[in-house]
Amino acid sequence: MSNRQLYPFMKALKFLIIVSLLLPLYWAKPVQAVETGNTLLQQSDFEDGTVQQWVGRGGVEVLAANAAAARSGAYGLAVSGRTSTWHGPSLDVTSQLEIGQTYEFIGWVKLPAGAANANISMSLQRTLPAGTRYENIASGAVTASGWTKLQATFKMLEPATQVAVYFEVPGSATASFYLDDFRFERQPDLGPIIIEDIPSLKAAFAGKFLIGSAFTNDELLTVPDKQLLSKHFNSVTPGNVLKWDSTEPQENVFNFTEADAAVAFGVQNGQQVRGHTLVWHSQTPDWVFRDANGNLVSKAVLYARMQNHIQTVMERYEGKIYAWDVVNEVIDASQPDGLRRSLWYQIAGEEYIEKAFEFAHAVDPTVKLFINDYNTHESAKSQALYNLITRLQAKGVPVDGVGHQTHISLYYPTLAEIESSIIKFKALGLETHITELDISVYSDNSQAYDTFPAELKQRQANLYKALFQVFLRHTDTVTNVTLWGKDDAHTWLRTFPVTRNNWPLLFDERLQSKPAYWSVLEAVQTPEGPLVPAAPTGLTATAGSMQVQLAWNAVAGATSYTVKRATTSGGPYTTLSADVSGSVYNDTAVTNGTTYYYIIQAANSAGTGAASAEAVATPSGTTDPEQPSGALAVAYRLGDNNAGDNQLKPQFIIKNNGTTPVAMSGLKIRYWYTIDGEKQQNFFSDYAQVGNGHVSGSFVKLSTPRTGADYYVELSFGSGAGSIPAGGTSGEIHTRIHKSDWTNFSETDDYSFNSTRTTYADYTKVTLYQNGNLVWGTEPS
């Protein structure tokens, strides 16, 4: 056997040896306990002709076993006489509930003949030491034509003096309805067996980054929950008890009982504790912002209260909390300066953010101080946060890191968007924490599943693996990855944004490992290490007049794409763009009648992957009178085809058809429109291939209105935008305009608006100026 023939064999043998060494550590999956079925605790079939312990919540309802209400058998429960939306039948289940056990509630509901359709909810009322809580656990659209099943899973997490299940009609105070075949069941108690017999996440990621979990104090009441937290996580985040409304509900009246217990748990288990959060627009008591008369306080008073709170809380946990989310969710990309118009901002402007970090640093200079936000993968929000941090750094404000919450879904965002954001902030020299990670199984709020579909389990596992591979590629900046909950019974996504089942975490409701858990382990033990992304698939080239639009499937792990073009099949190819962030590209530097051949390559920090299959297109069409030739041109398309909403969203590409590069800093675009009600206006660059920070917009009111215009917005470009090469383009520039009071525009009569331009095409009603001279388009008369 030659060396060349021997190589594949030796490579395979090496791989088998590596796998065999890893098997005892990671692949000895314990045998899952066999489910024997739920235990029926209570059933209401009403076949004895009674209401079987159900009572009316309001005391006015009429409950009766009735043949017309029967789904099966002879009787069901008829509910009538309701006079409030919360009225309905209620059943006390207190004596049958145990801490740490998981239960299922199932009921069938229907409306009487002739009744209008309605939504009916199944809810729980729990009386706790801190007060009474009402939780909607299942809802459904109900009709008179058939029975609707309401089903929910509920884990008993904390002691309660009374628990009742009830049915109500939130949208109607008087609707009558039927209930039958109600079942209350306990799921099998599998115990903590799997907790002890599987690899520890914190051990698997040792030397990479801390692996953490948020938790609520009810998880400290049961041994299995505490075991799971201590076994797998070397970082913990108390989810609520360190927030302002918990620690200082009234001025200078501090309550640290719950916070002390949470922090002590982490310290006793040798875990790093993240503090969440010191300053936030939500869960901050209103007294912080107001005086005795209800008016907003002065900046000085606000700062005094902020400093007192930060000092008192941080001093109490000095040496116990290693990192704090100092400010949380302060970004609003729709605002000119990118900042949320919270009461903090209304009183003190951007300065309150500076003060929060300065106050925190003064208390404990050794603690790591973070700014934390959600949707940091979105280009506009990412840029607004980036700009804020650079302003803070320029002033010497002590910011140590950025927290990316990373609440994502199986359907969005792309991994490329997430990785690009990590790379973006790495350039600022900051630590990166993934602070609130979970993966919803839904694409929108209309979906709901009774059980977790097997296909989605695997999709979630694949995404978790790919996501952790992204984090592992950036261990030079990613120092902590924290999941927002350890198991699916402790996820906020079961009540937000709507009430429904969701399974976003690594362990299920009974603390059993899910495919997602094992896929995360696979990510860290992959012997090949960081990999270059695969070749893109699904490349299509759609020809138009003077343009070719490319689209392809996003590639896992890719942070950018390179687009190449040739005029002969197989090349040689020239690079059109080496830094495309999305999975679409519009080539407007083409000539009608010429055939073009395209390939795409995906790239990340490990390198550039193989090329896609070739796609071919031949642009064609007649010359549009609005598309004259020239050295510079502007292509335009609609970003929003609703001509009567509260935003203008024109999008542009500047084309250089000349033979020499053109500096973008010497160019200005004008988009002409009517304001439809004089108000202050705000401009945003939502996306620009040259960088959002290099695009600015200013509004000019015309002294004399013109046809279709009493204003124009003028786009300018900073020196960092660079130059447009000969035969090249600026790339896409997405803009957005709205009035300060969010009133609507009427775009149909705007000079530059064109409802037919859904793809980029040269357009003379958008004008371009070079060094102050009109070089493209026609101004309105």
Side-chain angles (χ1 to χ4, degrees):
M1 182 179 287
S2 68
N3 288 342
R4 189 170 183 176
Q5 293 171 316
L6 183 62
Y7 176 73
F9 171 77
M10 294 301 295
K11 185 177 180 181
L13 180 61
K14 181 180 179 181
F15 177 76
L16 288 173
I17 292 172
I18 292 173
V19 171
S20 66
L21 292 173
L22 289 170
L23 279 172
L25 293 174
Y26 295 107
W27 291 97
K29 295 187 183 182
V31 177
Q32 299 274 358
V34 178
E35 294 193 19
T36 57
N38 294 345
T39 300
L40 178 63
L41 300 178
Q42 191 155 346
Q43 176 174 304
S44 299
D45 57 14
F46 310 106
E47 292 305 298
D48 61 357
T50 74
V51 298
Q52 297 181 344
Q53 300 180 316
W54 290 83
V55 297
R57 298 185 73 217
V60 299
E61 302 92 333
V62 177
L63 308 184
N66 190 303
R71 173 180 173 266
S72 62
Y75 295 104
L77 182 68
V79 181
S80 60
R82 299 173 60 254
T83 58
S84 293
T85 57
W86 56 272
H87 286 174
S90 175
L91 178 68
D92 191 302
V93 294
T94 310
S95 63
Q96 295 156 307
L97 296 172
E98 300 176 42
I99 298 294
Q101 297 299 317
T102 302
Y103 301 89
E104 286 189 19
F105 296 89
I106 302 169
W108 293 83
V109 289
K110 181 183 178 183
L111 299 176
N117 295 350
N119 286 319
I120 294 182
S121 297
M122 178 168 63
S123 303
L124 291 180
Q125 177 177 330
R126 296 187 295 137
T127 304
L128 309 173
T132 302
R133 295 183 185 174
Y134 304 90
E135 301 163 85
N136 171 222
I137 57 175
S139 294
V142 183
T143 69
S145 60
W147 289 87
T148 298
K149 182 182 182 182
L150 299 183
Q151 181 173 359
T153 301
F154 170 76
K155 186 171 184 178
M156 188 67 175
L157 301 175
E158 55 189 327
T161 56
Q162 184 181 36
V163 180
V165 59
Y166 63 91
F167 292 80
E168 59 185 341
V169 189
S172 172
T174 59
S176 299
F177 62 92
Y178 301 147
L179 168 67
D180 200 7
D181 296 332
F182 173 84
R183 295 175 65 86
F184 171 40
E185 305 172 345
R186 185 181 68 237
Q187 291 184 350
D189 180 10
L190 300 187
I193 298 172
I194 198 169
I195 296 175
E196 299 302 325
D197 295 343
I198 60 176
S200 162
L201 288 171
K202 65 184 181 185
F205 285 90
K208 308 294 185 183
F209 42 69
L210 295 174
I211 189 79
S213 174
F215 70 96
T216 53
N217 278 33
D218 62 75
E219 293 170 79
L220 307 182
L221 300 175
T222 60
V223 171
D225 285 297
K226 291 191 293 185
Q227 286 179 324
L228 189 64
L229 282 168
S230 59
K231 175 180 176 64
H232 288 286
F233 305 103
N234 48 17
S235 174
V236 288
T237 302
N240 276 299
V241 296
L242 285 170
K243 294 173 182 173
W244 201 313
D245 60 353
S246 295
T247 54
E248 192 185 3
Q250 302 175 46
E251 187 165 13
N252 274 322
V253 179
F254 287 89
N255 180 1
F256 291 112
T257 302
E258 294 295 308
D260 284 350
V263 174
F265 172 78
V267 172
Q268 291 164 5
N269 284 283
Q271 296 162 315
Q272 300 280 4
V273 181
R274 292 193 85 259
H276 180 75
T277 175
L278 293 172
V279 173
W280 190 22
H281 68 275
S282 181
Q283 291 187 243
T284 298
D286 197 54
W287 66 259
V288 176
F289 308 107
R290 301 190 186 277
D291 60 22
N293 297 320
N295 300 314
L296 294 180
V297 297
S298 66
K299 184 189 297 188
V301 171
L302 184 69
Y303 287 164
R305 290 173 175 175
M306 178 200 288
Q307 184 174 25
N308 180 62
H309 178 82
I310 289 175
Q311 182 171 338
T312 303
V313 174
M314 288 187 64
E315 283 182 347
R316 187 174 187 87
Y317 300 112
E318 188 170 355
K320 298 177 181 180
I321 290 180
Y322 93 104
W324 274 99
D325 291 329
V326 178
V327 296
N328 191 51
E329 299 178 2
V330 301
I331 297 299
D332 179 355
S334 69
Q335 298 296 337
D337 58 1
L339 296 180
R340 182 188 295 275
R341 295 309 193 250
S342 64
L343 291 178
W344 292 105
Y345 184 94
Q346 292 177 37
I347 296 172
E350 182 175 316
E351 187 184 53
Y352 85 90
I353 299 172
E354 302 168 17
K355 291 296 184 183
F357 278 97
E358 290 168 359
F359 293 154
H361 183 73
V363 175
D364 186 353
T366 68
V367 170
K368 296 181 182 295
L369 305 180
F370 281 74
I371 184 169
N372 189 53
D373 222 306
Y374 63 93
N375 287 355
T376 53
H377 60 273
E378 294 180 353
S379 59
K381 190 156 194 178
S382 175
Q383 190 63 45
L385 179 58
Y386 185 94
N387 293 344
L388 169 62
I389 294 173
T390 57
R391 294 196 298 270
L392 296 175
Q393 289 180 324
K395 295 179 179 179
V397 176
V399 181
D400 297 307
V402 59
H404 303 265
Q405 292 185 11
T406 322
H407 297 293
I408 64 174
S409 144
L410 292 180
Y411 304 90
Y412 53 82
T414 66
L415 290 173
E417 289 175 307
I418 294 173
E419 189 163 18
S420 292
S421 182
I422 292 173
I423 293 170
K424 185 185 190 79
F425 290 96
K426 184 192 302 189
L428 295 176
L430 300 175
E431 282 191 43
T432 294
H433 282 190
I434 308 300
T435 56
E436 304 180 19
L437 174 62
D438 48 32
I439 300 179
S440 170
V441 305
Y442 298 111
S443 63
D444 60 60
N445 293 344
S446 66
Q447 295 177 310
Y449 303 116
D450 289 337
T451 58
F452 195 4
E455 178 214 351
L456 297 188
K457 285 183 183 179
Q458 190 56 51
R459 285 184 59 184
Q460 185 186 65
N462 295 342
L463 181 53
Y464 260 116
K465 179 178 179 179
L467 188 60
F468 269 80
Q469 287 175 330
V470 168
F471 301 152
L472 288 164
R473 285 199 286 271
H474 301 286
T475 54
D476 57 336
T477 183
V478 177
T479 57
N480 186 311
V481 176
T482 291
L483 292 117
W484 201 243
K486 71 182 193 314
D487 66 90
D488 289 336
H490 290 89
T491 173
W492 69 307
L493 293 177
R494 291 204 166 176
T495 57
F496 180 90
V498 295
T499 299
R500 60 185 172 187
N501 291 323
N502 209 328
W503 304 269
L505 299 167
L506 303 184
F507 298 89
D508 69 15
E509 299 91 336
R510 292 170 292 167
L511 310 185
Q512 309 299 292
S513 60
K514 295 164 53 181
Y517 160 85
W518 295 100
S519 72
V520 167
L521 287 180
E522 290 171 3
V524 74
Q525 69 195 32
T526 301
E528 291 87 352
L531 301 173
V532 296
T537 61
L539 175 62
T540 60
T542 304
S545 178
M546 303 295 290
Q547 65 174 330
V548 175
Q549 188 166 58
L550 306 175
W552 58 92
N553 298 325
V555 178
T559 57
S560 64
Y561 299 91
T562 297
V563 179
K564 295 182 177 181
R565 185 184 73 190
T567 53
T568 57
S569 180
Y573 299 97
T574 58
T575 298
L576 298 180
S577 177
D579 190 27
V580 177
S581 59
S583 56
V584 294
Y585 182 85
N586 206 47
D587 183 9
T588 57
V590 296
T591 302
N592 285 347
T594 301
T595 300
Y596 297 94
Y597 302 85
Y598 298 89
I599 58 172
I600 310 293
Q601 291 173 282
N604 60 26
S605 60
T608 300
S612 68
E614 191 177 68
V616 60
T618 305
S620 63
T622 58
T623 301
D624 191 322
E626 293 178 346
Q627 297 179 350
S629 60
L632 291 171
V634 177
Y636 155 82
R637 76 172 179 189
L638 288 171
D640 175 5
N641 61 7
N642 186 340
D645 64 6
N646 56 19
Q647 299 182 84
L648 310 181
K649 299 184 71 174
Q651 300 178 357
F652 313 103
I653 294 174
I654 305 174
K655 299 166 59 176
N656 179 7
N657 299 315
T659 58
T660 59
V662 174
M664 289 194 67
S665 59
L667 302 179
K668 295 182 186 297
I669 293 174
R670 289 181 186 174
Y671 181 88
W672 306 78
Y673 64 98
T674 56
I675 192 171
D676 305 306
E678 188 68 37
K679 296 289 182 180
Q680 179 185 339
Q681 299 174 84
N682 300 315
F683 172 86
F684 307 93
S685 174
D686 285 341
Y687 170 76
Q689 190 168 317
V690 298
N692 288 354
H694 302 310
V695 181
S696 59
S698 59
F699 300 99
V700 176
K701 182 178 181 180
L702 302 179
S703 57
T704 302
R706 304 186 188 182
T707 303
D710 49 29
Y711 265 90
Y712 63 78
V713 60
E714 184 170 80
L715 277 63
S716 303
F717 306 95
S719 58
S723 298
I724 307 174
T729 76
S730 64
E732 297 186 30
I733 303 164
H734 298 185
T735 68
R736 178 163 44 93
I737 299 161
H738 71 77
K739 289 178 276 190
S740 58
D741 64 352
W742 289 95
T743 53
N744 290 342
F745 292 93
S746 177
E747 297 183 71
T748 54
D749 61 348
D750 289 355
Y751 178 77
S752 294
F753 177 78
N754 189 324
S755 62
T756 67
R757 295 299 174 107
T758 56
T759 59
Y760 284 110
D762 290 2
Y763 187 53
T764 60
K765 288 188 175 182
V766 172
T767 52
L768 180 68
Y769 305 81
Q770 184 177 31
N771 300 322
N773 299 313
L774 177 66
V775 295
W776 170 265
T778 304
E779 294 184 350
S781 57

